[in-house]
Amino acid sequence: MHILMIECNPNGMAGIANALDLGHDVTLVSVDPDFYLAVSPLTEAAYAHPRCQVVKSEKAFSIEELTALARSIHAERPVHGVTTYSEYHTVHTAAVAEALGLPGMSVDGARNARHKHLTRLTLDGKGVRQPRFAHVSDPAKVEAAVREIGFPCVVKPSDGTASLHVLHLKDEDDLTAYLAELADVVDYGRGVVRIPDILIEEFVTGELISVESCVLGKGEVVNLGLTDRPLSGFPHFIEMGATYFTGHPLQDELFAMTTKVLDELGVDFGFIHTEFLLGPDGPVLCEVNGRLIGGIVPSLMQISSGVDAYLEVIRQALGERPELPFPGETIAGGHWFGSPVAGAVESIGFDKLQDLPGFHSALAYKKPGVEVSRLSKSNFDWIGHIIFTGADRDEVNKRNEEALDAIDLRLKVEVAR
């Protein structure tokens, strides 16, 4: 079978590698294929595989250009499934699948999930608990919208991901600095052009938690499990850990809300990631991502359930009924870590973790000599992760937290002058 992958993400290269190992043909369309060589150790072997074709197109973020390219690829060698692991490209994937007559999410559903202002506006008045919000598409109107919502508030681009440019504003000084920063952001790299829409939301206190689901068809939402998401400190919202589990006291309410949200948005296909804040009055919808959850969580799913979610995404795109990764008796969780200061990596060592209870694996993202920034703004500041297992969520989180002190991180830094 021939799979057309519209971009990917660093961890998603495992899905491409596994699909190739199973005998599938994969064509990856990317604005910048070299990006994946720098972020995943699996990329080089995947690109060299005889059944992998990499198509570089500087116009791949244009849906019209991408659809034309997909039709030409399909004419040369029939495509049997279209998919992506990239948040930036969920609408593109839906549009290409529709154009080729292949399984996929409705374009409207993908757009409603992808663009945060459309999520808010579509669900407004539909009985879904959301923060008070204001949507603006003119940068000149952001200040007025912030004052309408009031401080403290949260501002975010409607089409962002990985907590990039999401900020907690506490006063006018924060607002002035944010507007200056955002004025310089015209794209997110890899050809992804930023739309002007901004959301301003009231600040909701509470734990961030997500529901992982698979939509088998219109009205067929299967909620699989939950992922906790501890965050770094203000003013940014960097996700620092994740545990894939079941059995939260609010699980039934979270599952019911997720089903309603996805139905109202028209999300009718695929693995979906829906985030909630557990506010003082109950769960509040944070956002919806119309694709498989990213980062290390698909690996956590596989450890706990034995099911490779990356491959199930591909199976569903091929029209097969996916096997679903429900949390098992073993619970898996991980923690990302960053650098306390800017510098160059000399080494990242995990030797002291090997004999700790529940240790599963650890991975450094940066090689010796690579310059790194201080963990400060977004998930892109991570420099590695660790993964532990345990009998329940509390045990897993405790093991991860204690293991952070056993990481041997060595940096070369400039002296203060």
Side-chain angles (χ1 to χ4, degrees):
M1 303 292 268
H2 182 198
I3 299 139
L4 181 60
M5 184 72 67
I6 309 298
E7 292 287 356
C8 191
N9 67 30
N11 291 293
M13 292 305 299
I16 292 179
N18 292 346
L20 292 168
D21 288 343
L22 287 177
H24 294 302
D25 295 322
V26 178
T27 296
L28 170 66
V29 174
S30 174
V31 171
D32 181 14
D34 289 346
F35 166 80
Y36 301 104
L37 288 168
V39 296
S40 172
L42 301 174
T43 306
E44 186 174 357
Y47 284 4
H49 198 286
R51 284 192 295 273
C52 182
Q53 179 185 14
V54 179
V55 177
K56 181 176 181 178
S57 172
E58 294 181 357
K59 298 181 178 180
F61 196 68
S62 160
I63 290 180
E64 183 177 330
E65 297 280 352
L66 176 63
T67 301
L69 176 60
R71 290 186 190 279
S72 68
I73 292 171
H74 181 61
E76 182 178 326
R77 182 163 44 123
V79 173
H80 303 100
V82 183
T83 193
T84 189
Y85 302 119
S86 168
E87 173 66 18
Y88 291 131
H89 298 86
T90 52
V91 179
H92 299 68
T93 300
V96 170
E98 179 182 80
L100 298 185
L102 295 170
M105 191 185 302
S106 72
V107 175
D108 285 344
R111 192 174 287 113
N112 286 341
R114 171 76 187 104
H115 297 301
K116 296 174 178 61
H117 72 282
L118 293 181
T119 301
R120 294 285 185 234
L121 294 169
T122 303
L123 296 173
D124 196 25
K126 298 293 177 63
V128 174
R129 194 180 292 112
Q130 299 194 96
R132 288 187 301 109
F133 70 93
H135 159 238
V136 298
S137 56
D138 181 352
K141 297 181 178 180
V142 172
E143 290 187 57
V146 166
R147 295 189 180 95
E148 174 190 339
I149 297 301
F151 294 111
C153 64
V154 176
V155 286
K156 59 181 73 170
S158 181
D159 61 348
T161 189
S163 301
L164 198 60
H165 308 300
V166 179
L167 204 68
H168 173 271
L169 302 185
K170 66 181 184 300
D171 54 30
E172 295 285 345
D173 289 342
D174 284 353
L175 173 59
T176 300
Y178 182 77
L179 291 174
E181 174 188 318
L182 202 62
D184 293 331
V185 181
V186 296
D187 63 61
Y188 300 116
R190 290 184 288 159
V192 180
V193 179
R194 183 175 78 84
I195 65 173
D197 299 79
I198 299 290
L199 268 181
I200 300 92
E201 300 175 350
E202 68 171 320
F203 174 60
V204 178
T205 59
E207 177 188 3
L208 180 66
I209 199 165
S210 62
V211 177
E212 314 314 327
S213 312
C214 184
V215 185
L216 300 174
K218 187 174 183 179
E220 292 185 84
V221 178
V222 181
N223 294 304
L224 307 169
L226 303 168
T227 309
D228 61 11
R229 319 290 285 182
L231 301 174
S232 66
F234 294 147
H236 298 278
F237 297 86
I238 310 173
E239 297 175 352
M240 295 307 299
T243 304
Y244 185 57
F245 70 105
T246 188
H248 192 281
L250 296 177
Q251 179 169 300
D252 289 346
E253 183 177 1
L254 288 165
F255 280 6
M257 285 184 68
T258 299
T259 298
K260 180 175 179 58
V261 164
L262 299 184
D263 285 345
E264 293 285 358
L265 293 179
V267 175
D268 55 1
F269 182 91
F271 284 80
I272 311 296
H273 169 64
T274 307
E275 296 183 353
F276 295 91
L277 288 160
L278 303 185
D281 299 320
V284 178
L285 179 68
C286 182
E287 66 180 48
V288 180
N289 300 132
R291 41 78 185 170
L292 179 68
I293 185 173
I296 60 174
V297 179
S299 296
L300 305 181
M301 289 176 159
Q302 186 167 11
I303 294 165
S304 183
S305 69
V307 176
D308 182 347
Y310 286 124
L311 277 180
E312 297 311 311
V313 167
I314 289 172
R315 288 188 59 222
Q316 188 175 15
L318 292 172
E320 303 173 21
R321 187 179 181 89
E323 188 175 353
L324 300 178
F326 294 100
E329 292 183 6
T330 297
I331 300 302
H335 204 294
W336 290 281
F337 62 93
S339 173
V341 295
V345 173
E346 289 193 341
S347 64
I348 303 176
F350 302 113
D351 290 349
K352 295 179 181 178
L353 277 65
Q354 303 291 332
D355 297 326
L356 296 179
F359 175 72
H360 180 274
S361 57
L363 181 66
Y365 302 162
K366 306 298 183 182
K367 297 178 181 179
V370 172
E371 297 283 340
V372 297
S373 62
R374 179 177 69 86
L375 179 78
S376 59
K377 289 190 175 183
S378 76
N379 298 355
F380 294 108
D381 293 333
W382 296 331
I383 61 172
H385 73 251
I386 56 176
I387 294 177
F388 280 78
T389 62
D392 56 38
R393 174 194 183 199
D394 290 340
E395 182 174 66
V396 170
N397 287 341
K398 184 172 185 290
R399 287 175 172 177
N400 274 296
E401 286 291 340
E402 291 176 348
L404 291 172
D405 291 330
I407 297 171
D408 185 9
L409 172 61
R410 298 173 186 263
L411 301 169
K412 181 180 180 181
V413 300
E414 291 188 3
V415 299
R417 300 176 188 276

